[in-house]
């Protein structure tokens, strides 16, 4: 219930990490990953994680305003996901662009 109370996932899990800290770690990890893969010339790779992480990714980077539950249930059912294109721009910001669903 705590996940779906606030569409922006601004509510902290009981005994959990503040969402602002989660977002900072997500941004830092994604940025490091994108830069690492770019430096190695890798064009495609997968990120495998919990559905809530991907709901947060779609909310923050793809501006998906649907409820958290809807994003998880419809976008990432049963281990499926989405394909995105990503890069770090000149302002050191992570940019993700939706390509398609992986079904």
């Amino acid at each position: 219930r705590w996940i779906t109370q606030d569409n922006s996932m601004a509510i902290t899990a009981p005994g959990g990490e503040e969402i602002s800290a989660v977002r900072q770690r997500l941004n830092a990890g994604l940025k490091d990953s994108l830069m690492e893969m770019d430096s190695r010339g890798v064009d495609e790779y997968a990120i495998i994680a919990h559905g809530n992480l991907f709901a947060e990714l779609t909310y923050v980077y793809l501006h998906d305003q649907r409820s958290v539950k809807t994003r998880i249930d419809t976008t990432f059912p049963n281990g499926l996901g989405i394909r995105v294109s990503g890069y770090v721009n000149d302002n050191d910001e992570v940019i993700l662009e939706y390509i398609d669903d992986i079904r």
Side-chain angles (χ1 to χ4, degrees):
R1 184 178 143 183
W2 64 269
I3 293 173
T4 58
Q5 288 177 35
D6 182 339
N7 189 44
S8 66
M9 292 180 66
I11 296 172
T12 302
E17 181 178 23
E18 293 285 334
I19 195 65
S20 60
V22 172
R23 287 181 177 158
Q24 287 176 349
R25 283 191 310 107
L26 173 63
N27 186 64
L30 190 54
K31 186 186 302 183
D32 288 349
S33 182
L34 288 168
M35 293 174 71
E36 171 78 15
M37 294 303 110
D38 185 55
S39 73
R40 293 177 180 220
V42 175
D43 293 334
E44 293 185 15
Y45 64 99
I47 297 175
I48 301 168
H50 193 278
N52 285 348
L53 173 71
F54 289 110
E56 182 68 9
L57 277 169
T58 61
Y59 179 76
V60 172
Y61 294 103
L62 302 178
H63 313 290
D64 185 340
Q65 300 299 314
R66 295 176 299 166
S67 73
V68 174
K69 181 170 178 26
T70 300
R71 287 196 305 271
I72 293 171
D73 290 349
T74 62
T75 309
F76 313 107
N78 300 318
L80 301 179
I82 60 174
R83 188 183 331 265
V84 299
S85 173
Y87 61 95
V88 179
N89 71 13
D90 293 338
N91 294 325
D92 205 33
E93 301 166 323
V94 171
I95 305 297
L96 295 183
E97 297 169 354
Y98 172 84
I99 298 174
D100 60 17
D101 289 351
I102 300 171
R103 300 278 180 226

